[in-house]
Amino acid sequence: MQRNHLVTAAALGLAIAASHASANTVLRASHQFPGGQGDVRDEMVQMMAEEVANADVGLEIEVYPGQSLFKAREQWGALARGRLDITSLPLDYASGRHPEFSATLMPGLVRNHEHAQRLNDSEYMDMIKDVIQEGGARVLADAWLSGGFASSERCITSPDTVDGQVFRAAGPAFEEMLEAAGASIASMPSSEIYTAMQTGVLDAANTSSMSFVSYRLHEQVDCLTQPGDFALWFMYEPILISEQVWQGLSDEQQAALMDAGDKAEAFFAEEAAAIDQQMVDVYEENGVEVVSMSEEDYNAWLEIARETSYKNFAENVPNGQAIIDAALAVE
């Protein structure tokens, strides 16, 4: 009798535990970046999942890295429709739906990591986040990644060095600038650069310092242009949650997510500058030449950008000039 009683009690305990687990709201988080390999964007999402679990508010985040749930460019649409709950997303990937997002990958608009932090608390970012929310999502954590250029043909410094190269440029603003300098463009997410270079589809690419490391692009290039003192390339890659999903959560759960987002954002801010040096170290260790743009190179690129990317954005995007002006107003 005692043994039967113990078995029954154990079974009851398991049933209660299973019932408690099933009562949790499970959110699916998708991103394109390698999982468990030190990519800071994956680590931000994993940190949020851990923090939310520790908050014990009946909420759980399941993380699907490496495009295992949605392809890179499918994530925004899925998020906006409530088919995906959370994503870490290069926001410019959604500029086809919301052209305002091109201002989050505009040549020279962000000067350095400290400037990026100031932009997070500016009218410029308020305008971008208004569009995000109107589109069906909201920001849980801000993240700006600096980046550079790499080529299998020749080092990229001044505008004339891209002439004749087939280039992956990440978004419309950089594509317009590079085309004006004589490059040909092939559009694709960063997760496809390695194969495109391996098969000769691409000669060159620009992407974030983290992606240059995570995707092992040093195996396909001969020269890297690091951000250095004149970083032309900065990209906003926030952690987002579907607005539909957000509205279905309790106040406690929303608060736990915002707290987790704050911690992930602070973690990223501490790591951001070190990522650039990590990239340089990896590339030099693997025999890739590493160069920097001079101030003269940087200004030559900005001159082209103002006549192409900036001008087109101001003329063709709703509120475009106001968005650029708000960004430029941040010292």
Side-chain angles (χ1 to χ4, degrees), residues 110-126:
V110 184
R111 295 189 296 275
N112 52 51
H113 291 289
E114 292 75 17
H115 187 220
Q117 291 299 308
R118 293 193 295 276
L119 280 171
N120 285 340
D121 299 315
S122 69
E123 181 187 3
Y124 157 81
M125 187 53 76
D126 289 343

Side-chain angles (χ1 to χ4, degrees), residues 14-285:
L14 288 171
I16 291 171
S19 173
H20 177 73
S22 65
N24 281 353
T25 298
V26 178
L27 303 182
R28 298 181 307 163
S30 166
H31 65 72
Q32 73 193 61
F33 313 110
Q37 297 181 35
D39 189 299
V40 69
R41 294 158 294 192
D42 174 61
E43 291 180 346
M44 286 178 74
V45 180
Q46 299 287 357
M47 174 182 285
M48 286 191 64
E50 184 175 345
E51 291 292 334
V52 165
N54 291 340
D56 194 23
V57 291
L59 197 60
E60 179 183 346
I61 298 175
E62 294 179 348
V63 183
Y64 296 84
Q67 304 188 93
S68 57
L69 188 61
F70 287 95
K71 295 296 184 185
R73 295 194 183 275
E74 295 173 353
Q75 292 178 129
W76 172 265
L79 194 78
R81 293 192 298 273
R83 293 177 52 232
L84 172 62
D85 305 318
I86 292 173
T87 186
S88 171
L89 181 74
L91 192 64
D92 190 75
Y93 283 13
S95 61
R97 295 171 184 262
H98 302 282
E100 297 92 339
F101 293 165
S102 286
T104 64
L105 184 60
M106 188 71 71
L109 202 63
V110 184
R111 295 189 296 275
N112 52 51
H113 291 289
E114 292 75 17
H115 187 220
Q117 291 299 308
R118 293 193 295 276
L119 280 171
N120 285 340
D121 299 315
S122 69
E123 181 187 3
Y124 157 81
M125 187 53 76
D126 289 343
M127 296 168 81
I128 295 297
K129 288 183 177 178
D130 283 346
V131 180
I132 291 173
Q133 193 147 1
E134 288 166 9
R138 70 170 56 213
V139 175
L140 294 175
D142 294 313
W144 286 92
L145 280 86
S146 58
F149 300 74
S151 173
S152 60
E153 295 294 312
R154 59 182 177 274
C155 293
I156 295 164
T157 50
S158 58
D160 62 284
T161 58
V162 305
D163 187 34
Q165 296 200 59
V166 180
F167 223 105
R168 182 270 183 180
F174 268 86
E175 289 176 355
E176 290 163 2
M177 179 188 73
L178 287 162
E179 278 190 305
S184 300
I185 302 299
S187 299
M188 65 190 71
S190 56
S191 51
E192 296 176 13
I193 296 174
Y194 187 101
T195 301
M197 285 191 148
Q198 188 178 45
T199 56
V201 172
L202 287 179
D203 301 315
N206 59 9
T207 190
S208 69
S209 299
M210 191 75 262
S211 289
F212 271 122
V213 175
S214 293
Y215 294 123
R216 302 180 61 84
L217 299 182
H218 62 266
E219 297 176 355
Q220 299 299 328
V221 302
D222 296 318
C223 187
L224 170 76
T225 308
Q226 64 167 316
D229 294 329
F230 300 100
L232 196 65
W233 197 102
F234 263 85
M235 189 176 202
Y236 183 55
E237 302 190 19
I239 297 176
L240 305 170
I241 185 169
S242 165
E243 185 66 19
Q244 288 184 41
V245 172
W246 174 264
Q247 294 301 334
L249 300 175
S250 69
D251 291 345
E252 265 190 330
Q253 291 170 335
Q254 290 179 353
L257 276 168
M258 292 306 295
D259 183 57
D262 288 344
K263 289 176 180 175
E265 185 176 317
F267 162 75
F268 172 80
E270 289 182 4
E271 296 289 319
I275 294 168
D276 296 340
Q277 188 57 51
Q278 179 188 1
M279 173 184 67
V280 170
D281 292 345
V282 168
Y283 278 67
E284 288 182 338
E285 288 166 6

